[in-house]
Amino acid sequence: MAKIITLGETMVSFAPQEHTSLIYGPALNMRIAGAESNTAIGLCRMGHSVAFFSRVGTDSLGQFVLRSIRAEGVDTSLIIRDTEHHTGIMFKEPKLHAETVVYYYRTDSAASHMSCKDIPEQEIAGAEMIHFTGITPILSASCRQMVFQVMEIAAAHGCAVSFDPNIRLKLWKDQDHTQLMLDCISRASYLLAGLDECRMLYHTDDIECIAKRAFSSGHLRCLALKDGSRGAWICDGQDICQIPPADCVCVDPVGAGDAFNAGFLSGILEGKSFADSGVQGAFCGARATETYGDTEGLLTKMELEHALQHIAPVCR
């Protein structure tokens, strides 16, 4: 049985093979993309037993998603094959000297039809931790109900809850889901959030103030505030420590937060301190920015250990 379960939507991602606008019809690379499956793959590469819970269509794209995740060693037995709805897709458009633009086509996707009847209660009861992001409850009303039911089951069985708001304003559209994010945070054991996201949710960028608000629920064990190229902040409810950024040559920041989550949660599952887990997260997040795909830059356990010890690989 898996030690950690992640749940959410994985899409098929298409991106130009070169830095060319989609306007000009460039040849496209086909990969998978999804915050929770990215983290699952990252954890699996570091030696943890991980299962991914989701829905995909029975179309060829759904089969591509399944094969890609399964090839990384993630348990896909909890993924439901939906015969009535399609697998979600997205297009990435890299911009020189600007953030990558993402176009989502996930309305009425198979994953958006996840519901409480799909929940693998026995597997959650036997897991140490579940992880999800704020994307999943935004997908549909049934997804929202499912997420809160999962958290209730986890609480009943002593399973820790890891939550990353992962705010995507394109999915929020004209609605304000701030309270929904805060409701998820109030039930979380670990909050892995971007500092910019907390600025939106709490209307401040004061670290101490954010921590005080986040820990007010009484459930939170640790807050990891991700601040991109400036590193991260780790708080246990009393002390706050700053994690310096790891060196990297950034080509695409998409997926860095998911990689940080994998490194951080790997440390937690291995019984390391919050600070050491944060350092792991920083290294994993930095390395993920050095590739264009969401998962290609995720580190193995040995690669992470070498990075932490500043051991240069022998290439020739």
Side-chain angles (χ1 to χ4, degrees):
M1 187 171 288
K3 182 181 291 187
I4 181 168
I5 298 173
T6 71
L7 57 121
E9 177 172 32
T10 300
M11 298 164 289
V12 175
S13 170
F14 297 93
Q17 294 179 2
E18 300 179 355
H19 269 82
T20 305
S21 172
L22 293 173
I23 294 172
Y24 300 105
L28 303 174
N29 285 322
M30 179 173 161
R31 297 182 173 97
I32 61 169
E36 296 86 356
S37 57
N38 291 345
T39 298
I41 291 170
L43 283 162
C44 206
R45 287 190 186 177
M46 283 181 276
H48 299 283
S49 58
V50 190
F52 180 54
F53 164 45
S54 186
R55 275 180 175 261
V56 296
T58 52
D59 46 26
S60 296
L61 297 182
Q63 294 303 310
F64 176 72
V65 168
L66 284 170
R67 292 180 65 230
S68 299
I69 297 176
R70 188 166 51 233
E72 296 285 353
V74 177
D75 180 355
T76 59
S77 63
L78 303 183
I79 300 178
I80 297 169
R81 283 70 163 175
D82 190 323
T83 60
E84 298 181 6
H85 304 97
H86 65 88
T87 302
I89 64 174
M90 60 178 278
F91 291 86
K92 293 171 65 176
E93 188 172 28
K95 299 284 189 180
L96 287 175
H97 312 300
E99 189 170 352
T100 299
V101 177
V102 177
Y103 304 96
Y104 297 111
Y105 297 88
R106 61 203 308 178
T107 301
D108 203 36
S109 67
S112 72
H113 286 272
M114 286 189 287
S115 66
C116 291
K117 64 181 177 61
D118 299 331
I119 296 174
E121 183 168 356
Q122 184 176 354
E123 285 75 11
I124 294 172
E128 291 184 23
M129 184 185 297
I130 61 166
H131 172 76
F132 72 102
T133 77
I135 292 175
T136 305
I138 299 296
L139 296 178
S140 66
S142 67
C143 281
R144 186 153 48 255
Q145 294 166 359
M146 180 268 297
V147 160
F148 281 94
Q149 182 66 27
V150 164
M151 288 191 286
E152 287 186 14
I153 293 170
H157 294 283
C159 175
V161 175
S162 169
F163 177 65
D164 179 350
N166 215 345
I167 294 173
R168 295 291 180 266
L169 293 180
K170 280 194 172 183
L171 296 179
W172 284 27
K173 298 178 180 177
D174 58 348
Q175 299 184 59
D176 183 358
H177 293 290
T178 298
Q179 189 56 52
L180 173 59
M181 297 298 104
L182 295 175
D183 288 343
C184 291
I185 290 172
S186 70
R187 293 163 171 79
S189 312
Y190 299 96
L191 173 59
L192 316 177
L195 180 57
D196 56 338
E197 294 172 327
C198 286
R199 188 179 297 117
M200 286 181 56
L201 297 175
Y202 297 116
H203 308 292
T204 180
D205 54 8
D206 181 272
I207 307 298
E208 292 186 4
C209 182
I210 291 171
K212 183 177 180 180
R213 295 280 301 278
F215 277 90
S216 63
S217 68
H219 295 297
L220 200 63
R221 302 175 191 174
C222 183
L223 164 65
L225 277 178
K226 298 172 280 187
D227 197 16
S229 61
R230 291 169 292 279
W233 300 84
I234 305 296
C235 179
D236 63 1
Q238 294 185 356
D239 299 320
I240 299 175
C241 69
Q242 186 172 16
I243 306 298
D247 293 334
C248 65
V249 179
C250 179
V251 297
D252 183 6
V254 175
D258 307 328
F260 178 100
N261 295 348
F264 179 83
L265 295 178
S266 177
I268 296 299
L269 292 169
E270 293 167 5
K272 295 182 178 179
S273 69
F274 294 152
D276 287 344
S277 298
V279 171
Q280 285 196 175
F283 269 94
C284 290
R287 293 296 180 269
T289 70
E290 296 184 329
T291 62
Y292 286 107
D294 279 25
T295 62
E296 284 80 353
L298 294 171
L299 297 177
T300 64
K301 187 175 183 65
M302 180 177 292
E303 289 170 337
L304 175 59
E305 289 176 351
H306 286 178
L308 292 171
Q309 297 171 27
H310 304 286
I311 299 175
V314 178
C315 299
R316 297 187 183 183

